[in-house]
Amino acid sequence: MKATAQESQCLVLIVDDEPFIRLILRHFLEREGYQIAEAQNGIEAISVFNQLHPDIVLLDAIMPDMDGFECCTQLELLDCNKHTPVLMITGLEDQESVDRAFAVGAMDFVTKPIHWPVLRQRVKRLIQQSQLQQKLEAMNLELQRLVTIDGLTQVANRRRFEEYFYQEWQRLKREQRPLSLILCDVDFFKLYNDTYGHRVGDRCLQKIAQAIKDMIKRPGDLVARYGGEEFAVILPNTDTEGAVHVAEKICHAVRTLAIPHQNSQVSPHVTISVGFTTEIPQPDSDLEEMIAAADRALYQAKAAGRDRFVQNILLPESTNFR
């Protein structure tokens, strides 16, 4: 049975120090529909593997300089994510050699002289297993992403916020570095929904979420939907000066969207109120109190007229980290 259309796109790396063995393996596998790359020793195999990322490696066990067992060990170190299968080809059938082949990461083995129908089926099976594993891992990653993403705004959800905030709180407590937390609330959003309808309100939240996300550049920062029309931004290793800069940019970004809000009491366009706090977490300090401090600052921003940011300083002004 020939390789399927999907399998025929697969690249097989043949590693053997004997040119004749490589030749007959190439001819056999090309007839089966596979693409072929070759290496004549373990060192060359590692180089070709890095360049071409084959779908399976057929690896001779006994080679000079670097044997197949050492080569397989090196390939495993290079391939920690993809799990490319290695099929060992060996003239050794003793228990110790078989055990060693599996111990260094080989998925299967065939013995010399090669029984071609067996090789055909084992190559086919290992490629299919590898493809299935990669699909399952991709699906698991997507499921994990969906569990932590807010469906409407496509930023992190409240669950992810709580997990990440706790994680960074603990880390920065150990490192004695600052953590900033920004809370944002869309001004008069109930009036917006009453005026324009909930579907338009949803689109408004989506635009605001994207605008905030666009302002947050560092990979360690996190934007989350904290509540209905509330967003939170976690800024690790960020002092009050850095947090002021981010809060100012967020307010400006939302104003720049110029989303009409005819019944707002502060602007003809949608605006947000922002409160934030910065703290170096201490062994006796409380994570929930930091959230409460940011929430108090947000309340003060609303009480002061909205469309602004207010900071609740819990960190000495002389400390400079960002």
Side-chain angles (χ1 to χ4, degrees), residues 25-78:
L25 283 169
R26 169 184 280 276
H27 286 172
F28 173 76
L29 291 166
E30 283 181 337
R31 285 200 306 270
E32 294 299 312
Y34 298 108
Q35 299 179 45
I36 305 299
E38 295 182 25
Q40 60 186 347
N41 56 54
I43 296 171
E44 186 177 318
I46 291 169
S47 175
V48 174
F49 185 92
N50 270 327
Q51 291 174 16
L52 301 181
H53 308 291
D55 297 283
I56 187 170
V57 180
L58 271 56
L59 180 61
D60 185 27
I62 308 302
M63 295 183 294
D65 299 325
M66 179 188 288
D67 66 19
F69 301 104
E70 175 60 25
C71 181
C72 190
T73 300
Q74 296 299 319
L75 293 177
E76 280 287 296
L77 294 173
L78 293 172

Side-chain angles (χ1 to χ4, degrees), residues 67 69-70 88 95-106:
D67 66 19
F69 301 104
E70 175 60 25
M88 197 81 81
Q95 185 66 45
E96 182 180 353
S97 298
V98 172
D99 290 344
R100 188 180 175 199
F102 285 110
V104 296

Side-chain angles (χ1 to χ4, degrees), residues 70-176:
E70 175 60 25
C71 181
C72 190
T73 300
Q74 296 299 319
L75 293 177
E76 280 287 296
L77 294 173
L78 293 172
D79 192 45
C80 56
N81 293 321
K82 191 181 175 188
H83 310 298
T84 303
V86 174
L87 177 64
M88 197 81 81
I89 299 176
T90 176
L92 306 172
E93 293 189 73
D94 60 282
Q95 185 66 45
E96 182 180 353
S97 298
V98 172
D99 290 344
R100 188 180 175 199
F102 285 110
V104 296
M107 296 295 292
D108 206 342
F109 74 99
V110 294
T111 56
K112 295 178 180 178
I114 297 170
H115 187 50
W116 299 107
V118 171
L119 179 65
R120 175 191 297 115
Q121 289 302 319
R122 290 188 178 174
V123 168
K124 182 182 178 69
R125 177 176 58 82
L126 289 175
I127 289 175
Q128 288 176 339
Q129 287 178 347
S130 174
Q131 290 172 340
L132 178 60
Q133 183 175 5
Q134 290 176 48
K135 286 179 182 177
L136 289 173
E137 289 178 354
M139 289 171 62
N140 283 333
L141 285 173
E142 179 62 13
L143 286 172
Q144 291 173 22
R145 189 190 72 82
L146 291 173
V147 165
T148 60
I149 293 294
D150 175 64
L152 175 65
T153 61
Q154 296 299 297
V155 296
N157 60 16
R158 179 67 174 265
R159 172 179 171 175
R160 177 58 180 156
F161 164 82
E162 291 173 350
E163 289 175 349
Y164 191 68
F165 191 60
Y166 177 79
Q167 170 191 315
E168 291 303 289
W169 173 273
Q170 295 297 333
R171 181 176 69 85
L172 296 170
K173 183 191 293 185
R174 292 192 300 271
E175 298 177 5
Q176 282 299 282

Side-chain angles (χ1 to χ4, degrees), residues 254-312:
V254 174
R255 291 188 201 108
T256 303
L257 291 174
I259 301 171
H261 189 351
Q262 67 185 42
N263 287 325
S264 170
Q265 298 174 25
V266 295
S267 169
H269 299 103
V270 170
T271 58
I272 59 171
S273 298
V274 174
F276 70 89
T277 189
T278 302
E279 183 175 355
I280 297 177
Q282 301 299 315
D284 59 347
S285 59
D286 184 1
L287 175 150
E288 293 297 331
E289 174 52 34
M290 184 174 179
I291 296 175
D295 197 50
R296 287 195 296 272
L298 174 59
Y299 178 82
Q300 291 166 15
K302 292 180 180 180
R306 307 185 191 238
D307 186 23
R308 70 193 64 216
F309 64 89
V310 169
Q311 57 183 310
N312 190 328

